[in-house]
């Protein structure tokens, strides 16, 4: 299987710390590299993580608060400087068009980069030229308009080598069976359904700054990997609600209710020196795999079911 992993470039929320850079996440998906919410310092973190500008094929911004987008000018100019040969699709809330334009044109430079903007007006499938997955967005609940994202691979099909041997099928006829769906072999018709089973596609959800809302559960439903903010602990739940954020317990509750396989907590307030409390809260609500994200970590997608 091609490489699929989340490269964590930063895990801080509004204020970075000595150990946590502002937000930034690159999802590697074979030849695709989707950069989510590049905050300040993302370009430098990419150097530490071994990520090049050429790796970026798409950029997805959840909203236009600074810790989620102030790294965009440097990223755009780095893509430009390195003369990345492919176009880069950029997704963002349409209501922030003025901020998008300012960020992409923050300083003087000779622009050659081919940015293809995709302003989002409402939730639903997004245009994703050439992508091997479906990219969707859903509205979140934050003081400014925000959208979360979901990447879903279409279901495939896997053949059983054992079943092929039992039926005496090998060589070019196997390719013909996969292509046509049925072949004649030794006096009978063999169908694709007899030699294999559906292979569920993989999926990832990216949920940043939000209160609990329908969009959170829509994005998280059944995903293999949920990357979700856990800015506060439950003792600050009132503060989280006031500022449009989640607690670690709430994030874990979403994962449990939505049937998530791996939960990745991130976007931590600077008030927490250690994150032991975040893990403890999450473990009380979610029994699956929990990753408390750290800067420069590489988190593989869970193996296929």
């Amino acid at each position: 299987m091609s490489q699929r992993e989340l490269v964590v470039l930063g895990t801080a929320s509004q204020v970075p710390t000595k150990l946590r850079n502002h937000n930034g996440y690159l999802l590697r998906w074979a030849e695709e590299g989707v950069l989510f919410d590049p905050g300040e310092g993302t370009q430098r973190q990419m150097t530490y993580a071994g990520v090049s500008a050429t790796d970026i094929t798409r950029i997805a911004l959840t909203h236009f608060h600074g810790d989620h987008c102030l790294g965009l000018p440097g990223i755009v100019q780095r893509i430009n400087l390195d003369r990345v040969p492919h176009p880069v699709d950029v997704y963002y809330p349409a209501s922030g068009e003025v901020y998008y334009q300012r960020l992409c044109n923050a300083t003087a430079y000779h622009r050659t980069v081919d940015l293809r903007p995709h302003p989002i007006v409402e939730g639903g499938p997004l245009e994703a030229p050439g992508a091997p997955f479906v990219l969707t967005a859903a509205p979140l609940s934050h003081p400014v308009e925000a959208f979360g994202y979901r990447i879903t691979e279409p279901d495939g099909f896997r053949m059983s080598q054992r079943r092929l041997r039992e039926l005496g099928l090998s060589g070019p006829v196997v390719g013909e069976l996969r292509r046509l769906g049925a072949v004649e072999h030794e006096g009978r018709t063999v169908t694709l359904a007899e030699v294999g089973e559906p292979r569920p596609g993989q999926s990832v959800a990216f949920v940043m700054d939000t209160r609990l809302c329908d969009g959170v559960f829509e994005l998280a439903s059944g995903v293999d990997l949920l990357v979700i903010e856990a800015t506060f602990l439950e003792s600050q739940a009132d503060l989280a609600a006031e500022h449009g954020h989640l607690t670690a317990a709430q994030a874990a509750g979403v994962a449990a209710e939505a049937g998530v396989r791996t939960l990745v907590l991130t976007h931590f307030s600077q008030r927490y020196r250690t994150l032991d409390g975040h893990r403890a809260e999450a473990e009380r609500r979610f029994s699956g795999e929990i990753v408390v994200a750290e800067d420069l970590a590489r988190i593989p997608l869970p193996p296929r079911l």
Side-chain angles (χ1 to χ4, degrees):
M1 186 182 71
S2 57
Q3 183 184 36
R4 297 180 183 182
E5 64 176 2
L6 180 75
V7 182
V8 181
L9 301 173
T11 58
S13 57
Q14 189 174 32
V15 178
T17 71
K18 291 180 179 179
L19 298 178
R20 301 180 205 135
N21 195 74
H22 267 146
N23 269 281
Y25 313 85
L26 182 82
L27 178 64
R28 293 187 186 274
W29 189 291
E31 301 303 315
E32 291 276 345
V34 185
L35 178 64
F36 292 99
D37 281 6
E40 291 178 73
T42 294
Q43 184 181 175
R44 192 160 186 261
Q45 293 291 94
M46 285 169 54
T47 300
Y48 285 130
V51 173
S52 74
T54 307
D55 293 331
I56 300 170
T57 58
R58 305 178 198 276
I59 300 172
L61 306 179
T62 58
H63 65 294
F64 285 100
H65 276 156
D67 53 325
H68 294 259
C69 65
L70 283 177
L72 185 61
I75 294 298
V76 168
Q77 293 188 36
R78 181 59 181 274
I79 291 171
N80 192 83
L81 179 67
D82 290 0
R83 298 194 177 277
V84 170
H86 54 257
V88 176
D89 295 276
V90 187
Y91 305 88
Y92 56 90
S95 59
E97 182 68 36
V98 62
Y99 303 120
Y100 172 73
Q101 294 298 334
R102 288 173 182 169
L103 289 165
C104 290
N105 299 282
T107 68
Y109 68 106
H110 177 60
R111 181 166 169 175
T112 60
V113 58
D114 182 11
L115 295 180
R116 300 191 296 203
H118 300 271
I120 304 170
V121 177
E122 59 185 4
L126 303 173
E127 183 182 359
F133 47 68
V134 176
L135 178 63
T136 57
L140 301 175
S141 175
H142 199 51
V144 300
E145 187 175 40
F147 288 91
Y149 296 94
R150 178 180 174 124
I151 284 175
T152 306
E153 179 184 32
D155 291 342
F157 187 87
R158 55 186 160 210
M159 288 189 173
S160 166
Q161 296 303 313
R162 177 187 60 80
R163 186 62 179 144
L164 289 172
R165 288 194 300 271
E166 289 175 352
L167 294 173
L169 295 171
S170 62
V173 70
V174 176
E176 185 179 356
L177 175 59
R178 180 180 291 276
R179 187 174 64 255
L180 300 178
V183 294
E184 294 296 322
H185 180 70
E186 295 183 351
R188 66 180 291 255
T189 300
V190 178
T191 66
L192 197 57
E194 292 180 71
V195 298
E197 60 184 2
R199 182 192 64 183
Q202 292 183 300
S203 54
V204 177
F206 186 80
V207 177
M208 285 295 116
D209 300 21
T210 185
R211 305 173 184 90
L212 289 178
C213 64
D214 291 344
V216 174
F217 292 95
E218 176 185 338
L219 293 166
S221 179
V223 294
D224 295 294
L225 190 74
L226 171 62
V227 185
I228 188 168
E229 69 124 315
T231 309
F232 294 99
L233 291 175
E234 200 65 11
S235 58
Q236 285 86 37
D238 290 345
L239 193 61
E242 178 184 351
H243 293 283
H245 286 290
L246 298 174
T247 67
Q250 288 174 324
V254 169
E257 184 172 337
V260 169
R261 294 182 64 199
T262 297
L263 168 65
V264 179
L265 302 178
T266 188
H267 193 270
F268 308 114
S269 169
Q270 74 274 15
R271 72 186 61 218
Y272 305 110
R273 287 194 169 187
T274 71
L275 301 172
D276 294 342
H278 288 71
R279 177 175 291 279
E281 280 196 359
E283 287 177 344
R284 287 194 289 269
R285 301 286 297 274
F286 179 62
S287 60
E289 182 178 359
I290 299 171
V291 179
V292 179
E294 297 179 357
D295 286 30
L296 307 182
R298 310 179 93 90
I299 304 168
L301 267 68
R304 291 183 185 276
L305 292 172

